[in-house]
């Protein structure tokens, strides 16, 4: 499940996270290199500046999605050649990033700034803060006084797993606080035109009415319910594979979308020409794995037809 989530996050930010077209990213490798202020490449120089591609750097992506940069973090910053001092500057930068996202409403209490470091900087960070030198085989040797602060010391493999999870959660929360708020209630159809919905339990969009979905996610659920109810009788009017599907109450984004019918109804509302060529061939009451797969394949083919190739795999 986590790998599927990571792949979806990577695809979305690759396609839509940048101001000038697509930019492939890898999690966490390219992100860790993007946010590093500098990489020492010429030992003779006293000060170094980060090499920044203004259309490719992580903070350019954040600026594109948010509309404002993080206070105190410039596009290019000088850095001391001392590796410890450099590590602390990068750690400070990660701290500012997390604080900035939390002020915007992100939920990241489990992500520590050190989890966003490169493995080399993380090893240096643990040595400086704990007085312990971490040896590759996993044992630890004391090299000084222990810090009173609680420090998580992870071996290389565990750190890489934690770093990948931390960066994925950072991107998910960026999507939550920067992209989802663009959802507008104006996208919801006029309730007066959907009399059949009056007998269906409603979904409240008020901020405190759910501890699972945000206000904007609930607005999308309302939109899915109303568009499905509006289009199901139109899309599958002449269906030979189960007839018109029954009314349903869509309350989540996983189980209620599994058979593809809800998503097909949304697409049909904007691309009705896909009904006779694609959606009419869907099973409206799928029961077997083969019927679910058939619906998924039709939905993917429809997305390809309208050039919405989002690297979706069945």
């Amino acid at each position: 499940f986590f790998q599927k989530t990571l792949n979806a996050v990577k695809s979305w930010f690759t396609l839509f996270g940048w101001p000038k077209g697509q930019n492939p990213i890898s999690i966490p490798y390219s992100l860790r290199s993007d946010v590093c202020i500098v990489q020492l490449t010429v030992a003779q120089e006293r000060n170094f500046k980060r090499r920044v591609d203004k259309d490719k750097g992580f903070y350019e992506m954040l600026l594109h999605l948010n509309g404002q940069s993080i206070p105190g973090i410039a596009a290019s910053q000088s850095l001391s050649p001392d590796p410890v001092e450099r590590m602390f500057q990068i750690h400070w930068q990660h701290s500012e990033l997390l604080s900035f996202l939390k002020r915007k409403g992100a939920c990241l209490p489990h992500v520590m700034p050190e989890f966003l470091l490169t493995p080399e900087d993380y090893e240096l960070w643990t040595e400086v803060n704990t007085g312990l030198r971490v040896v590759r085989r996993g044992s630890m040797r004391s090299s000084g006084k222990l810090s009173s602060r609680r420090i998580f010391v992870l071996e290389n493999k565990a750190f890489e797993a934690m770093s990948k999870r931390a960066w994925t959660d950072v991107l998910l929360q960026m999507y939550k606080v920067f992209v989802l708020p663009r959802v507008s209630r104006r996208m919801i159809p006029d309730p007066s035109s959907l009399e059949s919905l009056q007998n269906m339990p409603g979904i409240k969009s008020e901020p405190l009415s759910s501890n699972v979905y945000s206000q904007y996610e609930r607005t999308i659920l309302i939109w899915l319910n109303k568009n499905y109810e509006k289009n199901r009788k139109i899309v599958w009017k002449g269906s030979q594979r189960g007839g018109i599907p029954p009314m349903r109450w869509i309350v989540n984004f996983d189980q209620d979308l599994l058979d593809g019918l809800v998503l097909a109804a949304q697409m049909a509302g904007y691309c009705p020409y896909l009904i006779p060529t694609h959606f009419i061939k869907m099973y409206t009451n799928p029961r077997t794995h083969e019927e679910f797969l058939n619906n998924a394949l039709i939905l993917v083919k429809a997305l390809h037809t309208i050039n919405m190739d989002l690297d979706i795999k069945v």
Side-chain angles (χ1 to χ4, degrees):
F1 173 79
F2 172 68
Q3 187 61 44
K4 290 180 179 179
T5 302
L6 185 148
N7 291 338
V9 170
K10 182 169 65 174
S11 294
W12 193 92
F13 279 89
T14 291
L15 293 170
F16 307 113
W18 307 90
K20 294 184 179 179
Q22 301 178 17
N23 178 38
I25 67 170
S26 61
I27 303 174
Y29 311 107
S30 66
L31 298 175
R32 290 191 307 211
S33 63
D34 281 346
V35 298
C36 286
I37 297 177
V38 69
Q39 294 293 335
L40 291 179
T41 56
V42 184
Q44 292 79 7
E45 293 188 16
R46 295 179 56 191
N47 293 310
F48 301 87
K49 286 189 177 291
R50 177 164 66 115
R51 293 174 295 173
V52 177
D53 182 339
K54 292 185 178 180
D55 296 328
K56 301 300 182 183
F58 173 83
Y59 286 100
E60 185 67 19
M61 178 176 72
L62 189 146
L63 176 61
H64 170 65
L65 295 174
N66 177 45
Q68 67 179 98
S69 58
I70 299 178
I73 297 181
S76 179
Q77 299 184 40
S78 60
L79 190 70
S80 168
D82 179 73
V84 174
E85 198 169 325
R86 181 178 71 253
M87 175 273 294
F88 276 121
Q89 283 188 261
I90 296 172
H91 187 275
W92 169 83
Q93 180 174 287
H94 293 324
S95 298
E96 291 299 303
L97 168 65
L98 294 174
S99 297
F100 178 77
L101 292 176
K102 290 174 184 177
R103 289 196 298 270
K104 293 291 184 178
C107 183
L108 292 167
H110 59 294
V111 177
M112 306 294 183
E114 50 268 26
F115 297 157
L116 305 178
L117 294 169
T118 62
E120 297 78 15
D121 281 337
Y122 174 75
E123 184 176 356
L124 183 59
W125 184 85
T126 57
E127 292 176 7
V128 171
N129 282 274
T130 66
L132 296 175
R133 178 168 292 278
V134 182
V135 184
R136 285 191 177 276
R137 61 176 176 270
S139 63
M140 293 183 292
R141 168 169 68 85
S142 177
S143 62
K145 184 179 179 181
L146 292 177
S147 170
S148 59
R149 177 187 172 192
R150 186 178 181 184
I151 303 296
F152 292 94
V153 181
L154 305 175
E155 297 180 8
N156 289 348
K157 186 176 180 180
F159 171 75
E160 285 292 357
M162 180 66 76
S163 181
K164 182 181 293 186
R165 180 61 184 265
W167 275 109
T168 301
D169 289 346
V170 165
L171 292 178
L172 282 169
Q173 292 299 310
M174 284 175 58
Y175 184 89
K176 170 189 169 182
V177 300
F178 297 147
V179 180
L180 276 181
R182 300 175 189 173
V183 174
S184 170
R185 290 188 60 85
R186 290 179 297 179
M187 65 189 289
I188 302 176
D190 181 7
S192 63
S193 64
L194 301 171
E195 296 180 0
S196 57
L197 280 180
Q198 294 178 359
N199 296 324
M200 180 183 293
I203 296 177
K204 297 180 180 180
S205 61
E206 286 75 14
L208 300 180
S209 60
S210 172
N211 63 351
V212 177
Y213 292 129
S214 69
Q215 174 186 359
Y216 310 105
E217 289 169 310
R218 294 194 300 278
T219 299
I220 294 175
L221 286 174
I222 295 171
W223 173 69
L224 290 173
N225 274 285
K226 294 186 175 180
N227 267 333
Y228 174 76
E229 183 57 29
K230 177 182 178 181
N231 295 325
R232 66 183 178 89
K233 295 180 181 179
I234 299 173
V235 177
W236 293 285
K237 181 179 180 180
S239 172
Q240 300 298 315
R241 295 188 170 182
I244 297 174
M247 176 189 291
R248 65 171 68 177
W249 189 27
I250 305 157
V251 295
N252 57 61
F253 294 101
D254 42 21
Q255 293 295 322
D256 292 340
L257 305 184
L258 278 179
D259 59 13
L261 297 177
V262 174
L263 296 177
Q266 313 309 310
M267 292 180 62
Y270 299 94
C271 307
Y273 55 84
L274 294 174
I275 296 175
T277 59
H278 293 76
F279 302 142
I280 196 65
K281 303 174 185 177
M282 299 176 75
Y283 290 96
T284 57
N285 188 27
R287 298 181 182 276
T288 66
H289 291 297
E290 291 76 15
E291 291 175 347
F292 276 92
L293 177 61
N294 172 80
N295 286 2
L297 290 171
I298 290 174
L299 197 60
V300 171
K301 289 179 180 178
L303 288 169
H304 281 277
T305 299
I306 59 176
N307 294 321
M308 287 189 65
D309 184 2
L310 303 179
D311 194 31
I312 297 175
K313 297 179 178 61
V314 178

